[in-house]
Each structure stands twice: as structure tokens, then as C-alpha cells.
């Protein structure tokens, strides 16, 4: 009886243990891992099929699993820094545990991997963009004239602008895109603001943080860029409008400028037919001095 009781307890405890699985999302990363003899998979498609089977089995047993993005280059660097043997499964397990604490992850919720893996990659891009923008903002340091931390001030201003933009937007779901040409790279961020039946806008916290950081980077570095809003509501045309980033400020775009931007291929310059059911318009007023640069030294 005692032996059976202990087995039962162990089964219960296994259901209580949450796990993280590091996933090689693309063929390139999969091929990079094949240089390790202990990594015995030889086909990426079969690897993902087996992974999906494991995930479904764990879910059926009541076990929660988180998916993490496994990067072979980061893994090699981790093993070099820690002195671990990259050939052992135990080293991969330790690296995956680190990913669970610090890297991008998504919970397995029963959806197929064809849906979950793009979400995981998007989360990784979002985190990398936030880290990049935050690093550049931190490097700006204090203003030589007044001593104010330029990056922190820009983030505060960007957060205020995001609130004003959402408050001034038409009713419905909002899709915001911010692009900043900050040398040496162009960075962009997306923010979705969905309204519930009571008119309350719901934001993803990580998405909002990334979006605000990118906007702050454009304001602080006075880099060129733009911010576009698309508002969607049932029974009315989508409304599209925006601002250009110039010299640390937001300048409203005219309706014709927004139309031209949406109806021109960014890579080829060719004209694109306008969408039906879309109203290209000027942006709403964000209030006095809301779009002027606030650090003018």
C-alpha cells in the first residue's frame, strides 16, 4: 500500500511541475544544431511533428509547458561562458532553463505549432527591439546643459503621447505602427488597442513597452520616422491617419500624404490601388504643445 501511495504521489507531483521546451523554429537553426553528435534529429519537419506529439501528451496529463526560442549561437556562447559541454543534453536543459527566466516564451495552449511558432518569433523580435531601443536610450546619458536624463525624459514624453493618441482615436480597435530610422538600423513597433463593449481599451503590456521605447528613441535622437494609426469599428469605414517624426517632434500628415503612403509600394515606388472602405484623413488634435519637442537645448 505504501509503495502504491508513493507512486500516486509522484504522479500528482509530476502534474504540478511546469516545463519549458526550447524550440528550433526554422531550418537554419535546426541545421546549426546538427553539428552536435548528441542532437540526433535529422529532419526539421519530423522534429516539429514529434515535438507537437510531446506537447499534446503533456497537456493531456495536465502539465503546463512553455515554449522558448532556442538559438544555436546563443547556446554556443552560453556553453563557452559557463564551461559546459555543448554536446550533452544536460547542457541544453540548463540553457533552456535560462531561456525560461530571461528569454522570449509563449505558453502551449493546444494550438498547432504552425500558429504558436510565429507568435514565439514575434515575441522574440519584440523583446529584441525593446532591448535595442532601451540600450540606445540609455547611452544618450544626461543633457550637457541641464543634466536631465535624455532617454528617460523621452520615454516619459512618448508614454504621454501614446495615451493622448489612444484617447483621441475614434471608437473601435486601434492598430498603431511606429517606425524610426535610427542609424545604423531602422526599427519599428506595433501596438494593438482593442476596445471592449464598455469602451475600455485593452493593451498588451510588453507590446506597449516596446512601442513606447521605439517612439522615445525617435524623439530623443531626432531621427526621421513616422507613426500611423488605423482605427476599425463595425459598420464604419476604417480611419487611417498619422504623423511624421521630425527633429524630435510629431508633425501631422495631411490626408493626401497618408493616402500616398498607403498607396505606394515602399520598395518599388509603384502605385498600389487604395483599399475600399478606408477613410484616409488628418490626425486628431493631441492638445497644446503635445507634438512639439520638449528638450530644446
Amino acid at each position: 500500500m505504501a509503495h502504491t501511495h508513493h507512486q500516486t504521489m509522484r504522479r500528482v507531483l509530476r502534474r504540478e511541475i511546469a516545463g519549458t521546451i526550447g524550440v528550433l523554429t526554422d531550418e537554419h537553426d535546426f541545421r546549426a544544431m546538427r553539428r552536435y553528435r548528441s542532437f540526433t534529429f535529422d529532419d526539421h519537419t519530423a522534429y516539429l511533428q514529434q515535438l507537437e506529439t510531446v506537447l499534446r501528451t503533456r497537456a493531456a496529463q495536465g502539465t503546463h509547458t512553455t515554449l522558448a526560442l532556442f538559438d544555436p549561437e546563443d547556446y554556443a556562447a552560453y556553453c563557452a561562458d559557463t564551461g559546459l559541454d555543448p554536446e550533452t543534453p544536460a547542457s541544453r536543459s540548463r540553457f533552456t532553463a535560462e531561456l525560461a527566466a530571461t528569454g522570449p516564451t509563449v505558453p502551449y495552449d493546444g494550438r498547432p505549432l504552425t500558429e504558436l511558432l510565429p507568435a514565439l518569433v514575434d515575441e522574440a523580435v519584440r523583446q529584441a527591439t525593446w532591448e535595442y531601443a532601451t540600450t540606445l536610450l540609455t547611452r544618450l546619458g544626461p543633457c550637457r546643459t541641464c543634466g536631465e536624463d535624455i532617454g528617460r525624459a523621452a520615454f516619459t514624453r512618448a508614454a504621454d503621447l501614446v495615451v493622448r493618441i489612444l484617447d483621441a482615436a475614434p471608437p473601435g480597435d486601434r492598430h498603431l505602427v511606429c517606425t524610426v530610422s535610427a542609424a545604423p538600423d531602422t526599427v519599428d513597433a506595433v501596438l494593438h488597442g482593442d476596445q471592449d463593449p464598455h469602451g475600455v481599451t485593452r493593451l498588451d503590456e510588453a507590446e506597449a513597452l516596446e512601442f513606447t521605447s521605439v517612439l522615445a528613441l525617435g524623439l530623443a535622437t531626432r531621427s526621421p520616422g513616422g507613426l500611423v494609426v488605423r482605427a476599425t469599428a463595425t459598420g464604419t469605414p476604417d480611419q487611417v491617419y498619422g504623423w511624421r517624426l521630425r527633429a524630435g517632434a510629431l508633425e501631422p500628415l495631411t490626408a493626401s500624404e497618408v493616402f500616398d503612403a498607403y498607396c505606394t509600394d515602399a520598395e518599388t515606388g509603384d502605385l498600389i490601388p487604395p483599399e475600399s472602405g478606408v477613410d484616409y484623413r488628418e490626425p486628431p488634435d493631441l492638445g497644446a504643445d503635445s507634438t512639439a519637442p520638449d528638450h530644446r537645448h
Side-chain angles (χ1 to χ4, degrees), residues 27 40 46 53-54 76 96 101-102 104 107 111 121 133 150 160 173 187 206 241 245 256 264-265 282 286:
E27 188 74 39
T40 57
T53 299
V54 170
T96 300
T102 62
R111 286 181 292 165
V121 172
I150 296 174
D160 177 67
D173 296 336
V187 294
Y241 54 87
L245 269 167
S256 60
T264 303
D265 188 294
E282 294 184 3
L286 298 181

Side-chain angles (χ1 to χ4, degrees), residues 274-290:
E275 295 181 65
S276 61
V278 176
D279 178 18
Y280 303 97
R281 46 164 285 193
E282 294 184 3
D285 183 13
L286 298 181
D289 298 327
S290 61

Side-chain angles (χ1 to χ4, degrees), residues 1-17:
M1 286 292 292
H3 178 68
T4 303
H5 178 64
H6 289 159
Q7 285 183 322
T8 302
M9 290 180 62
R10 283 194 290 270
R11 283 197 297 270
V12 171
L13 284 172
R14 279 196 290 270
R15 289 197 297 267
E16 297 288 333
I17 298 173

Side-chain angles (χ1 to χ4, degrees), residues 8 21 62 94 112 154 176 182 188 213 232 250 296:
T8 302
I21 296 178
R94 284 188 57 177
L176 284 66
D188 55 69
S213 298
T232 303
L250 287 179
R296 310 187 188 196

Side-chain angles (χ1 to χ4, degrees), residues 71-131:
D71 185 292
E73 292 186 5
D74 290 345
Y75 173 63
Y78 173 80
C79 290
D81 291 342
T82 57
L84 294 174
D85 180 3
E87 279 287 358
T88 66
S91 296
R92 290 195 287 274
S93 295
R94 284 188 57 177
F95 177 66
T96 300
E98 291 282 338
L99 293 178
T102 62
T105 61
V106 295
Y108 177 69
D109 56 9
R111 286 181 292 165
L113 289 182
T114 51
E115 294 182 25
L116 281 175
L117 293 189
L120 178 58
V121 172
D122 287 346
E123 180 63 27
V125 170
R126 180 160 54 241
Q127 181 169 320
T129 300
W130 172 75
E131 290 175 351

Side-chain angles (χ1 to χ4, degrees), residues 5-51:
H5 178 64
H6 289 159
Q7 285 183 322
T8 302
M9 290 180 62
R10 283 194 290 270
R11 283 197 297 270
V12 171
L13 284 172
R14 279 196 290 270
R15 289 197 297 267
E16 297 288 333
I17 298 173
T20 301
I21 296 178
V23 186
L24 297 161
T25 59
D26 60 49
E27 188 74 39
H28 177 269
D29 287 346
F30 182 82
R31 288 197 302 269
M33 284 302 293
R34 290 197 63 200
R35 67 177 180 263
Y36 301 116
R37 294 187 304 274
S38 59
F39 186 79
T40 57
F41 295 97
D42 57 9
D43 181 83
H44 187 236
T45 300
Y47 159 80
L48 291 178
Q49 290 172 344
Q50 292 299 317
L51 173 61

